[in-house]
Every structure is written in structure tokens, then in C-alpha cells.
Amino acid sequence: MLHCDMPIIVEGKYDKITLANLIDAPIIPTGGFGIYRNKELLEMLRALAKKTGIVILTDSDAAGFKIRSHIRSAVRDGKIINVYIPDVYGKERRKAAPSREGKLGVEGLSREILEEAFRRAGIGTEEAPPREPVTKRDLFLWGLTGADNAAARRAALLKALGFPERMSTNSLLGAVNVLYSREEFFSLLARLFPTSNP
């Protein structure tokens, strides 16, 4: 399995499923053109690009390039690595008909083609040990969910992290696990909420 420390941004959930079997990395789907309306996700991508860098992998059709271009123009600062897939014509198994341009998307490509695309971009040559993630249970133990003042505590945390104030708990958890180790995050929480160490 390939490894990448940077989150990989893809178009949809089926792309994410395909890549999860190929590369050890955080994989974030944009929901296709949903990225145009998702200000929370764009804010998270900006933060990730500055902290760790991001990898963009979209389909090789016109829609994929529009989504890639939108992310690049929205992020501006930070590190972006583009992974490009070749034009391969055909139809994904789960679809009744080929795409408008007749090209396979990320989900329809072979493991070998995807590996080569990552290697050409200089990604995935070394494997790193997995790290223990922050969980929803951890958020609960720190009073960030399920407590009377959980919303206020989450708002304080979001402000301290520089995340959007409307970020959902699931999005917060996803971003934290990309940006921080468990120990780093707990250390940050201990400084922010000194009387609440579980």
C-alpha cells in the first residue's frame, strides 16, 4: 500500500472507496460540483493546504478539471500537488452508460494506473506507521459533545484552530485527525480547557 501524509481531495465517495484500498492517506470527497457551495469544506481545505499541503486527484474530463481549478483558485496559499490520471475510455461497472466524454473516472481505473499517477507526482513511495486517531468518544470525554456547554466549548475550539464557526462535529473530527496527532490535539485541549482534562 502506498502512503501519503497529505490529504487527497477527490470528487466523490466512489473515488474515495477506490483509493482507500490503494493508499494510506486521509481522503476527502468534494461531492463533485457541491464544492462550489460548500464554504465549510473550502475553509478546511485552505487550512489543510497551509498546514500539511493537499493532493488534488480528479477525473480527466472537463468536470474534473473545473473542480480542480475551483479548488486551486479557492485555496491560493499553501502547498498543492496535482495528480493527473490519463484518458482511459470505457464505462464504470456500476454505471449504466459511459460518461458524457466516454472516459473512466478515478473509480474505474486499475490499481496500476493509479499507482503510476501517484508515483509520477512523487507521492506514496514510503509507508509510515498508522497513528491512533482522535475519536468521537474523545470529543465526548473532553466535553465537546453531549454536555450542557458543549456548543460553547466547540466554538472556542474552532476559533482557536482557525476553523469556520459553523463546522460540523464530523468535519471537525476529520480535520483534527489530518492536522494533529492524538497527543498534539490533547495537549492543545489541555491548554484551552485546563480544568477539563479527562
Side-chain angles (χ1 to χ4, degrees):
M1 184 172 268
L2 302 175
H3 174 78
C4 181
D5 289 323
M6 293 180 284
I8 300 169
I9 316 306
V10 296
E11 290 182 51
K13 66 179 180 180
Y14 292 104
D15 299 334
K16 179 177 179 175
I17 290 167
T18 297
L19 288 187
N21 296 313
L22 169 74
I23 189 161
D24 170 35
I27 303 167
I28 303 170
T30 66
F33 286 119
I35 189 72
Y36 285 84
R37 298 180 307 278
N38 195 334
K39 291 184 173 137
E40 181 179 292
L41 178 57
L42 285 173
E43 280 297 320
M44 185 173 81
L45 296 183
R46 286 185 195 104
L48 292 171
K50 287 180 185 175
K51 171 91 177 187
T52 64
I54 60 172
V55 176
I56 303 176
L57 173 62
T58 59
D59 295 348
S60 61
D61 59 7
F65 275 88
K66 284 179 185 173
I67 291 166
R68 183 187 298 270
S69 177
H70 181 71
I71 294 169
R72 278 199 319 252
S73 64
V75 168
R76 295 189 197 100
D77 298 327
K79 181 178 181 181
I80 297 174
I81 294 178
N82 285 288
V83 174
Y84 295 97
I85 58 172
D87 289 339
V88 177
Y89 291 88
K91 177 185 79 69
E92 280 91 1
R93 279 182 285 183
R94 71 176 182 87
K95 295 182 178 174
S99 68
R100 180 178 295 167
E101 295 179 32
K103 299 175 184 176
L104 289 177
V106 170
E107 70 170 281
L109 294 178
S110 69
R111 182 182 188 94
E112 293 74 26
I113 290 173
L114 290 170
E115 282 181 355
E116 181 58 27
F118 278 108
R119 287 202 170 98
R120 277 197 316 265
I123 294 170
T125 54
E126 295 179 15
E127 190 159 338
R131 63 184 192 188
E132 189 180 358
V134 177
T135 65
K136 286 186 176 180
R137 182 177 184 276
D138 295 322
L139 297 184
F140 175 78
L141 292 174
W142 279 93
L144 294 163
T145 62
D148 289 339
N149 60 346
R153 291 168 73 85
R154 268 196 320 278
L157 175 61
L158 290 169
K159 185 173 183 179
L161 294 173
F163 290 165
E165 65 181 16
R166 296 186 188 277
M167 187 177 241
S168 70
T169 304
N170 285 338
S171 295
L172 168 64
L173 194 59
V176 162
N177 277 313
V178 169
L179 295 169
Y180 300 95
S181 70
R182 190 177 171 85
E183 294 74 25
E184 288 171 334
F185 183 61
F186 287 175
S187 176
L188 185 151
L189 289 176
R191 289 193 304 274
L192 196 58
F193 309 116
T195 60
S196 301
N197 198 336

